[in-house]
Structures are given as C-alpha cells and as structure tokens.
Amino acid sequence: MAEMQAEIVHRHEAPKAFIWKYIFSLDHKVIGIQYYLLALFSVFVGLTLSILMRIHLVWPQASIPLLDKVSPLGAPGGVISPEYYLSLLTLHGTIMVFFVLTTAPQGGFGNYFLPLQIGAEDMAFPRLNMLSFWTTFAGLAVLMATFFIHDGPPIGGWTSYPPLSAVGGAAGPGMAVGETLWVVSIAIFCVASMLGAINFIATTLDLRARGLSLMKLPLTCWAWFLTAILGLLSFAVLLAAGVLLLLDRTGGTSFFIPGGLLVSDKPILHSGGSPLLWQHLFWFFGHPEVYIAILPGMGVTSHVLSTFARKPIFGYRAMVYAMSAIGVLGFCVWGHHMFVSGMSPYSAFAFSVLTMAIAIPSAIKTFNWIGTLLGAKIRFSTPMLFSIGFVSLFVTGGLSGIFLGQPPLDIYFHDTYFVLAHFHMIMGVASIFGIFTATYFWFPKMFGRMMNETLGKIHFWITFVGVYAIFMPMHYLGLEGNPRRYAEFIDNFLLPLMSVHRFISIAAFITGAAQLIFLFNLIWSLFKGKKATENPWEATTLEWTVPSPPPFDNFAGKHPVIYHGAYEFSVPGAEKDYIMQNSPEEVAADH
Amino acid sequence: MALAVALVVVIITLLSGYFFWAHTWWFPIDISKHGGAIDRQFTLTLIITGIIFVLAQLALAYAVWRYRDRGDGRKARYSHGNNKLEATWTIAATVLFIGLTLMGYHIWAGIHFVGAAPGAMRVEVWGQQFAWYFRYPGPDGQFGPVHIGDKYDPATGKYIDDNKVDDATGNYLGLDRDHDAASKDDIVTATLAVPVNQQVELILRSKDVTHSFFVRELRLKQDLVPGMEIPIHFTATKTGRFEIACAELCGLGHYKMRAFFEVMTEPDYQKWLQNMAAAQ
C-alpha cells in the first residue's frame, strides 16, 4: 500500500470567518451546495407556478389566496387572468430550464464531485468558480424581480420569440420592463454558465490524478466534461442573441424586427430585421441545452445503475462515444424546432435526418443501461429506484421524439401538447430524476448523514407514477391537436378534452405535494439522519475514499493514484464485490 | 421491491399503450388530399416506436425483477459488455430511425417542394393579435398593396406615416381602394371559405407578431411571420365547417385567436363569395 500513500505535498486550511467559509467561499464543495440550494429554491418556485397554471386551466375562476398581493394586476382578487397565466408559463419555463436543469446537475453536483472523483484538491480556478455562482445568483435575482414590477413578468414564453419580445409594451403586459429584465437575466446567466464551463473543462483536462486516464474516468465526469463543452459553445450564442434582442428593445436597432408592423394600432419604427434570425440563434443554443440538462443525468444514472447492480457498466467505451456523439450532433439539429417556422423546407430534410441520427446514440445508451442490469445483483436503495425510473422515462420521452423529428408529422404535432409531453418527459422529468438520483446517492457524502430510506421510497413511488399520470395523457391531447400555451380552452374541439385536463391537474397536485416529502427528508436527514460511513454504498470512485463529509482540501494534501476503471464490481477472485479505483489490487480481466 | 418496480413499470406501459391502441383520443377526420399519407406515416411510426417502447420497458421490468439481490451469495456476472451486441443494436437503430424519416420524405416534399399548380385559387391569410383576416383577390386575380404601419424611407432615413388600417371602417388590411386599382375588388373576410376538391394556395402574412395557422382536419400548420409571405397549398376533399386555431404564442389573447374554415361545394362557394364582395 506504500505507493498509494503518496507524500503530503501541501495542506490547506479552511478559512475561519463565516463570510469566507459559507458566502464567498472558494471551496468547490461549498459552491456546489450553494448551486444546489439555488436550484432547490428555484425548483419549488417553478413547481408552484406550474401548480397555479394547472389550477387556472381547469378552474379559471378559482380565487387563490395571497396571489392578489403578489400581482394585483395579473390576479385581481386572486383570480388568475389569461395574461397572468402566460406570465406564469414564461417564468416556469425560464426558471426550470436555466436555474434548475442547467444549475443543479452541473453547477451543483458537478462542482462538488468532479474534483473529488478525479482526485483534485479543488476546481482549476476557484475564484472563477465563486464568480460564476454569484453571477448565476444575480441572474436569478433579476428574473425574480419581474414578479414585483407593475405589470408583472413577461408573457412571451421561455423562447421569447420576436417581434412579440422585441417591440416593447405594445405587445402586451409584462413586455416592457418585464421582458427587458428577462433578457438581462438570461444574458447574465449565459456569462455565468460560460465561466463555469471553462472551469469544468480545465479541471477535467488538467487536474486528474496520476493514472486516471480519460478512459478510466467515471461516466459522471465524462458527462460533466461534455456538458461544459456544450455550455461554452451554446451559451455564447444565446448571449449574442440576447444582446441583439436587448439592442432591438432599447437601442433602436432592427436585428429581429421587420418593417411595416402595426402592434396594438401602434406603428413600429423598425425595418429590415428577421424574426427567424432569433429562432435560429435561440435554438442553436436551445437544442444543446436539452443535452446540457440531461447529460449529467445520464452520467449519474450510469454510475448508480452500475454501483447498485454490483456489475461493471455495460459498454463503457460505447457510453463515452454515445455521449460524445450526442454532444456533437446536438449542435446540428436545432432546425427541428423550426419545421413550420417558414425557414426553407429543404433544410428541414437535413435537420430531420440529423435528428434521427441523434436517436442512435440515445438508443445505445438505453440498451447499455438494460445490459448493465442483466446478470446483476440489484440492491434497491432509493438512488437506484430513481435511476431505474430515469431509464424508463428516458425511453418514453425519447420515443415521442421519433414522431416530432419527422417534418410531415411535426406539421400536426408542432406546438401541441404532444410536444409538451415529449420535452417534459425527457428534458424535464428524466433530468429531474437524475437530480433525485444524485441527491439520494451523494447526500451521505455531502452531509455525513444518510437520507431516510422509507421517505425516499414513498417519494419515489408517488413521483414515478405521478409524472406518468401527468405527462402520458398530454400525448393524447396532442393527438387531438390541443395547442399548447392556451390560457383557456374555448374552441369547440377543445371542450371535450377538459376531463383529461382535470385528470392531469389532479395528478399534478398530488405529485407536487409529494415533493414536500422530499424537502422534509432533506432537512430532517441533515440533522437526524443516520451517520454515514466513508463508503455506505460500497462504490468504487475516489469520493468514497475520503471521510463524509470530505475535509476542506479533499484528500488532506495527498495525491491519490488510480489503478482501475470506475466500475470494477464483482471481479472474479477479488476479496470484496468491488474494487476501489485507487486500490493497487490486481484484477484478472482489467483493462 | 423488485417485483413492485417491475409490476408498476409493466402496468404503466400497458396502460399508456392501451389508449393509443384503443384510439380513445385520436386525430379528427382528415379532409385533405395530403393528410392520408401523414396519417399512414403516423401509424407506421406508432407501430415501430410502440414495439420498441413495450419491449424496452418490459426488458427493464424483467431485468429489475430477475436480477434482484436474492441474498443467496451469488455474485453478479463480471462483464464489461459485448461489442457484437453493441454493433447490432447500433445498426438496427440506424436503419430503423433513418429509414423511417426517409419513408416520410415524399410527404414533406409533396407539401413543400412542389408549388401550387398555376391555376390554383389564391387566398391571403392575415394574422394579427388576436384575429384572422382572409383576402380574396377578386375578379382581377390581383392583390392590391397593403398600407400597414409606417414605411421606412431610405432616402431620408425617416419613417413616413403610411398607415391606412382603420378598424372602425373595416379596413383591417390598410387597403387604399381609391388609389390602388388592384385593391378595388379585393374581398376581405373573417372566415376562410374554399371550394371542395380544388387546389388552394394560401399566402400567410402577419401584421404584428408571429402567429401560426392550424387546421387539424387539414393536417396543416404553418407560421405567419411578420415581414415574410409564406405560401402553402392544399386541396380540401370534404365539405364542412372547421376551426382555425393559432398555434404560436402571440400574446395575451393567443387562446382566443380563432376563426372558421368552411369547405363548400363550388356553387355554394360562389354564392358566398358574391355575398362577401357585396358586403365590402
């Protein structure tokens, strides 16, 4: 064991003052928790907005206590107006996509565990790390401010298509100051994400422990690494688009606004711009964003499936290549959001073929997950349940993409509830299941206590059945042609669908309420949970070689040395059914 | 626990699939020439994805149940995968998914790569927050120019007031019937009526923000983008009255931006058009 105990080179002491230790901390672990808490706050706001939306859709006249205090104009007497419904919808999407799905898996868990899993003392640029968190925080603060301005948050949706988003208050409530704040918030968020991405890329490439070749990296690290590359390239484009939109709104330019428009009887003094330009730029970001949200989920699912199956991941290399292929192809398919937008129909064909191509690595991943379970010895702890749920949801959400990726079918399904079902299943719920998996799996390491298993399982069952009850029927609504983003359903063909909407709303209320069990478990376990050992799940990666929670400088100044891949479970002849990555023990079939 | 997970996955799979199978909720009737091909492509896709869906979920359920830890001291199988299997499902997925989209290619081409026939009837579709207007060219076959909003004059760099839109007089599209000869006989309506079994070319235009023209029974959806004139053509094969919905978020009244689409016999259509012309 001598070579493993590498000499102590340098030890760092943690700062003592509260403000440097917990607020402006340079420690990747504290910053990771900060990101997680920001996402936790955001997800409950986003969830509340969706519950309000579901109430409005089935009981448009319901009076919600306190809501008129938040928005006397949007919800007079607590009754949500159609335009306030659109405000809720816009902020629900924006908060969930940016401040939850982009933030928790990468900024939260990635920050906390990437250095630990690669044997590094911290991220490559700790100060940049702190800066990117606080920039994200500023972005969230600006977005939240839209709730409290006179005419409320913007109503343009999270996609913010111009001219609706570009011509100011004439376009509707919230489109003056609210929309400006929205653009500013997103621009700030882009900067934060790029700062974070640079850090992740540098850390992965430069700070890996001795012996940790790229092909020995845990799949979680591969996912964070690829996500960072996607983030760096795509947020740069969204930032540019955001600045152009801001200039159109406040600087008199006309990037996105054509001439001769008359909005609410008001002539718009712009000319020469193209509304489609925004859509191209937005989706050039928007599609990779889907993978930014879900790649870390794929990583953690692979990791947890292997660990609790007590079996090496099936096809490690195929998993790495598949994730890389998804990353590359993710930049070539943005046009499938625009089949009916008025762009050249010839390009639709190219985008369609490339979109189908991205289904191939996705299929490989699914097969490999199931392959990992064949011949396994599965332990059903809560993280495992959520990662099994992830696989099921990924299959369901992925397959509806096969319909939408075909232009002739998208003609019918575009902007219907079928699309809503598709991206909520895969980008929303599957990614959230990845976040739950990561939370239940790593909580013991982060806080030194186990989460309550019984509560965890109750949470899993209600959530798993609940999300299917909410989003499966949305496919059926899509078949009926139910358009999305409708505040009320007054068309004759929509009236018979109200019973389906009521069912969805009730399922949403129950599933939403079940998330309080999760919140309770989180807080309760923090103080009362069973003490966690160093390696409670008998996992193989480096974070499980240090105490729970890890000391300030992670490896106490030592440099771990890596001998094995990340998934050496049930090795024949080995003493235990897992071999730590830094164990010098020989493995017969090692490679 | 293993059994519970497996059972729940199976039940969810069968229930989800049942409603597709039983057509409990389904497409409305198809009234277009091209819609049949779309519906067939949908059915084909549904069968293929449906089989994959059921097989994948059942495989997951089976693996979860079959390979649970039974506490019998058995070790899990030590295997890093299987390249042959990996290659097999990669190729299968490639053939299936790419093949599927190629099979539907001719439908898209038929709608978009081929323009309307020279004799097709032309109607302009105008979207505005939150109403639809339709313009028929009248006997001269010409659409007169519209005067909407202000015009940019490159010579002076100034905007000139060019707006002739006046909702009070019903001039929704800013036509100048006194000066523009082509506008004189233009017919502007709030309902879109077309004769059955005749090819119709719609030219989609917007006065303010992006809207989307969606008629379910026509299997037709196309955005109306400000600054663009987007042509789309179809042939309606059944008479009846249907709803036009807006399918692109266009502001606070998006949900109530609707109009009616009527497919009539030729004589009925001519009568309707005469009535509309008289009402201008």
Side-chain angles (χ1 to χ4, degrees):
Chain A
M1 299 291 271
E3 63 269 49
M4 177 191 170
Q5 302 297 336
E7 61 192 292
I8 294 174
V9 182
H10 42 101
R11 283 217 60 163
H12 290 290
E13 289 303 325
K16 294 280 185 293
F18 182 84
I19 182 166
W20 303 120
K21 199 169 170 189
Y22 295 111
I23 310 290
F24 296 109
S25 170
L26 299 178
D27 180 358
H28 70 101
K29 298 186 289 298
V30 176
I31 296 170
I33 293 171
Q34 287 175 327
Y35 265 115
Y36 187 80
L37 292 178
L38 182 141
L40 192 66
F41 167 78
S42 303
V43 80
F44 275 94
V45 175
L47 179 69
T48 308
L49 300 184
S50 61
I51 298 291
L52 292 174
M53 285 155 67
R54 287 309 320 177
I55 291 174
H56 175 77
L57 283 180
V58 296
W59 300 298
Q61 298 310 321
S63 170
I64 296 149
L66 298 178
L67 199 61
D68 57 337
K69 299 276 184 298
V70 180
S71 179
L73 211 63
V79 180
I80 297 169
S81 62
E83 51 271 31
Y84 199 60
Y85 172 84
L86 293 179
S87 298
L88 299 173
L89 172 152
T90 302
L91 282 206
H92 167 76
T94 309
I95 289 171
M96 289 303 202
V97 170
F98 293 97
F99 295 97
V100 178
L101 298 176
T102 311
T103 302
Q106 186 80 356
F109 292 110
N111 234 316
Y112 198 109
F113 288 102
L114 177 68
L116 279 166
Q117 289 197 328
I118 64 173
E121 201 173 292
D122 204 314
M123 295 289 272
F125 312 114
R127 236 162 268 276
L128 203 61
N129 204 11
M130 177 183 85
L131 187 64
S132 59
F133 169 74
W134 284 106
T135 312
T136 308
F137 184 84
L140 181 62
V142 172
L143 191 67
M144 287 298 154
T146 61
F147 277 117
F148 305 104
I149 56 176
H150 175 66
D151 58 350
I155 61 170
W158 84 281
T159 50
S160 204
Y161 279 11
L164 185 66
S165 63
V167 295
M175 298 314 276
V177 186
E179 177 67 20
T180 302
L181 288 178
W182 184 91
V183 184
V184 170
S185 162
I186 295 312
I188 294 173
F189 187 88
C190 290
V191 173
S193 297
M194 286 192 289
L195 293 177
I198 295 167
N199 215 346
F200 273 76
I201 294 169
T203 305
T204 312
L205 291 179
D206 289 345
L207 298 187
R208 296 195 312 277
R210 192 139 61 86
L212 186 54
S213 62
L214 285 175
M215 282 299 160
K216 284 200 174 85
L217 275 181
L219 288 169
T220 41
C221 297
W222 266 109
W224 291 319
F225 177 54
L226 291 167
T227 301
I229 296 173
L230 292 187
L232 187 65
L233 299 177
S234 64
F235 277 109
V237 175
L238 182 64
L239 177 60
V243 171
L244 299 186
L245 184 57
L246 201 58
L247 284 171
D248 271 12
R249 295 179 54 80
T250 57
T253 58
S254 296
F255 292 104
F256 305 125
I257 312 173
L261 298 191
L262 190 68
V263 182
S264 309
D265 291 327
K266 187 177 156 244
I268 302 298
L269 301 185
H270 288 266
S271 78
S274 157
L276 286 193
L277 174 61
W278 167 268
Q279 296 188 26
H280 280 292
L281 294 173
F282 183 85
W283 290 116
F284 187 87
F285 145 79
H287 204 79
E289 166 60 28
V290 174
Y291 300 107
I292 289 172
I294 203 162
L295 274 174
M298 293 177 171
V300 78
T301 294
S302 309
H303 196 80
V304 165
L305 278 181
S306 174
T307 303
F308 289 84
R310 314 310 293 164
K311 205 171 154 271
I313 191 81
F314 192 98
Y316 174 90
R317 274 172 189 273
M319 289 302 232
V320 173
Y321 298 147
M323 280 200 283
S324 310
I326 287 172
V328 173
L329 287 170
F331 279 104
C332 311
V333 300
W334 78 90
H336 71 215
H337 297 266
M338 300 171 60
F339 287 149
V340 303
S341 70
M343 73 166 180
S344 161
Y346 296 97
S347 61
F349 175 64
F351 282 123
S352 163
V353 171
L354 287 159
T355 300
M356 289 299 160
I358 216 166
I360 299 161
S362 308
I364 293 173
K365 295 203 72 79
T366 306
F367 285 127
N368 284 357
W369 286 323
I370 295 173
T372 303
L373 296 179
L374 296 179
K377 190 180 179 188
I378 302 170
R379 299 176 180 173
F380 291 92
S381 304
T382 308
M384 183 59 170
L385 291 177
F386 274 100
S387 62
I388 292 168
F390 177 97
V391 176
S392 171
L393 291 163
F394 184 75
V395 169
T396 308
L399 285 172
S400 51
I402 302 294
F403 295 84
L404 298 171
Q406 298 181 55
L409 300 186
D410 187 62
I411 291 176
Y412 188 85
F413 287 127
H414 182 83
D415 264 335
T416 65
Y417 269 65
F418 197 90
V419 176
L420 213 60
H422 166 67
F423 75 77
H424 273 95
M425 273 282 183
I426 195 136
M427 182 196 195
V429 179
S431 302
I432 291 272
F433 266 53
I435 296 172
F436 283 139
T437 303
T439 305
Y440 285 104
F441 181 63
W442 277 316
F443 184 92
K445 181 55 62 185
M446 295 166 81
F447 301 106
R449 289 177 188 274
M450 307 298 287
M451 284 183 79
N452 184 289
E453 272 289 311
T454 311
L455 289 179
K457 285 184 170 126
I458 295 172
H459 174 223
F460 167 76
W461 285 115
I462 301 179
T463 309
F464 184 62
V465 175
V467 294
Y468 268 107
I470 296 167
F471 295 109
M472 206 61 204
M474 289 193 186
H475 294 92
Y476 312 138
L477 293 173
L479 292 176
E480 295 272 2
N482 191 340
R484 60 189 279 224
R485 293 171 162 178
Y486 270 26
E488 283 167 30
F489 301 117
I490 58 169
D491 302 65
N492 297 334
F493 74 90
L494 294 174
L495 298 177
L497 303 176
M498 282 313 290
S499 54
V500 184
H501 280 288
R502 269 192 293 274
F503 177 84
I504 292 173
S505 288
I506 290 164
F509 303 151
I510 297 169
T511 315
Q515 304 319 304
L516 295 175
I517 302 174
F518 169 71
L519 191 64
F520 174 79
N521 194 356
L522 212 58
I523 297 167
W524 184 87
S525 304
L526 209 52
F527 300 102
K528 303 273 181 181
K530 205 171 73 182
K531 283 251 188 261
T533 57
E534 199 171 276
N535 189 3
W537 308 121
E538 302 188 302
T540 60
T541 42
L542 281 182
E543 77 270 32
W544 305 106
T545 63
V546 297
S548 308
F552 173 70
D553 54 0
N554 293 353
F555 298 93
K558 290 177 213 142
H559 289 302
V561 179
I562 303 298
Y563 296 91
H564 306 286
Y567 303 105
E568 290 299 335
F569 291 100
S570 303
V571 181
E575 183 191 340
K576 286 179 286 194
D577 77 342
Y578 63 104
I579 295 175
M580 303 299 290
Q581 282 199 281
N582 67 343
S583 156
E585 187 179 349
E586 290 287 329
V587 174
D590 204 2
H591 60 268
Chain B
M1 185 58 68
L3 192 63
V5 177
L7 274 179
V8 167
V9 170
V10 170
I11 290 169
I12 286 174
T13 306
L14 297 182
L15 261 182
S16 306
Y18 169 78
F19 292 109
F20 280 106
W21 186 266
H23 293 203
T24 315
W25 295 277
W26 205 247
F27 299 98
I29 55 153
D30 159 45
I31 59 156
S32 71
K33 216 169 165 181
H34 66 269
I38 291 182
D39 290 5
R40 280 190 298 280
Q41 180 72 10
F42 173 80
T43 305
L44 180 68
T45 309
L46 184 64
I47 291 169
I48 291 175
T49 51
I51 291 171
I52 300 174
F53 172 68
V54 172
L55 287 183
Q57 300 284 6
L58 293 188
L60 178 68
Y62 170 78
V64 163
W65 170 76
R66 171 76 179 72
Y67 298 107
R68 65 195 185 274
D69 183 359
R70 297 163 197 239
D72 54 4
R74 169 190 63 96
K75 258 193 169 183
R77 192 192 309 153
Y78 181 72
S79 152
H80 283 276
N82 181 326
N83 286 338
K84 248 189 214 147
L85 271 179
E86 210 81 63
T88 310
W89 55 55
T90 305
I91 292 167
T94 310
V95 171
L96 218 52
F97 296 149
I98 304 280
L100 204 51
T101 196
L102 292 181
M103 285 178 72
Y105 174 66
H106 69 278
I107 307 170
W108 181 255
I111 297 169
H112 281 292
F113 295 180
V114 188
M121 175 187 139
R122 297 171 79 218
V123 187
E124 272 190 357
V125 176
W126 281 87
Q128 72 169 61
Q129 288 181 327
F130 305 100
W132 298 93
Y133 294 105
F134 307 95
R135 178 157 71 143
Y136 296 76
D140 67 349
Q142 302 280 321
F143 294 109
V146 293
H147 303 271
I148 298 173
D150 290 7
K151 223 189 208 110
Y152 180 69
D153 179 11
T156 58
K158 288 205 168 71
Y159 287 89
I160 306 157
D161 182 4
D162 182 43
N163 194 31
K164 295 206 164 30
V165 174
D166 187 358
D167 290 356
T169 61
N171 189 6
Y172 303 108
L173 301 182
L175 302 184
D176 188 351
R177 295 184 197 266
D178 297 334
H179 299 98
D180 300 328
S183 297
K184 275 202 172 63
D185 58 353
D186 286 3
I187 303 161
V188 179
T189 67
T191 295
L192 175 62
V194 302
V196 70
N197 291 327
Q198 265 192 49
Q199 195 179 46
V200 178
E201 179 173 49
L202 302 178
I203 297 120
L204 307 182
R205 306 179 69 176
S206 168
K207 282 164 76 175
D208 43 32
V209 301
T210 305
H211 304 277
S212 195
F213 176 87
F214 179 34
V215 178
R216 302 181 309 148
E217 294 82 357
L218 267 186
R219 305 291 188 267
L220 197 62
K221 185 183 291 135
Q222 179 64 51
D223 284 4
L224 293 69
V225 183
M228 291 175 77
E229 296 180 23
I230 300 170
I232 184 98
H233 57 86
F234 67 87
T235 304
T237 55
K238 290 186 182 74
T239 56
R241 193 164 192 253
F242 311 98
E243 283 171 302
I244 301 168
C246 178
E248 183 61 65
L249 178 56
C250 59
L252 65 94
H254 173 47
Y255 70 96
K256 56 184 177 193
M257 179 169 167
R258 61 188 196 125
F260 287 100
F261 168 63
E262 294 197 45
V263 185
M264 305 174 171
T265 58
E266 176 68 28
D268 283 354
Y269 168 71
Q270 291 302 342
K271 216 180 295 163
W272 175 86
L273 198 63
Q274 271 168 20
N275 288 340
M276 287 295 137
Q280 293 296 308

